[in-house]
Amino acid sequence: MSSTIITKWGSEAMRIRVWPFAAVLLLWLSGTSMVVAEETVADFLRESDDRGVRLIARVAGLTLSRANSRLVVDRNQAFFCPPRGHAISTDEYIETLKAYIAKNDMFATDASDLMPMHMLSALMEKYPCRVK
């Protein structure tokens, strides 16, 4: 199964890579159904020792990392740039998000289903990409 959609724009066929966008959409949809909407990001992080919360954080982090990798392959761009060969652990995803929320405490009261968006911002801040 291909991850390319062919569309017509005038007389030229455009190839649109949808993998990164589909992954982010899937992450958002899965986050909204897995996390209780009344909880805040701060509540989510307080429960970071809970197995279910750790699983949600890991799935969010891995999905963002996979979408990031596809961006590099497809467009030679990235949202965030961890050191080459560095695998981000579940603990690191959680600690990165905790540090980001502590620094930007106005996001602590956001609904917990926004956690993946804040995790992306946290990863972008922790692992900025150098402009070539």
Side-chain angles (χ1 to χ4, degrees):
M1 178 177 266
S2 174
S3 66
T4 303
I5 296 176
I6 305 296
T7 62
K8 291 284 186 184
W9 190 322
S11 62
E12 287 188 36
M14 292 178 45
R15 298 173 70 83
I16 302 171
R17 293 282 181 186
V18 295
W19 224 117
F21 307 107
V24 171
L25 178 62
L26 178 64
L27 173 64
W28 179 76
L29 290 173
S30 67
T32 57
S33 64
M34 292 174 69
V35 181
V36 178
E38 294 83 31
E39 285 187 347
T40 65
V41 173
D43 296 332
F44 178 85
L45 290 172
R46 264 193 296 282
E47 299 294 324
S48 63
D49 289 335
D50 179 77
R51 188 172 159 207
V53 169
R54 291 179 61 76
L55 176 63
I56 292 168
R58 180 166 174 75
V59 168
L62 291 174
T63 303
L64 290 169
S65 292
R66 174 70 174 145
N68 195 55
S69 295
R70 290 302 305 188
L71 269 177
V72 171
V73 169
D74 294 346
R75 299 183 184 206
N76 201 25
Q77 298 174 343
F79 288 122
F80 54 95
C81 299
R84 186 176 301 278
H86 177 69
I88 303 172
S89 69
T90 302
D91 289 333
E92 188 174 355
Y93 285 125
I94 292 170
E95 292 307 315
T96 300
L97 182 59
K98 281 182 176 179
Y100 179 79
I101 295 299
K103 188 173 160 183
N104 301 282
D105 62 349
M106 67 269 203
F107 298 134
T109 57
D110 282 354
S112 61
D113 59 352
L114 295 177
M115 179 276 298
M117 178 184 71
H118 294 310
M119 184 177 287
L120 176 59
S121 297
L123 290 168
M124 289 171 68
E125 186 176 284
K126 183 172 183 174
Y127 299 117
C129 298
R130 288 188 219 121
V131 178
K132 294 181 181 179

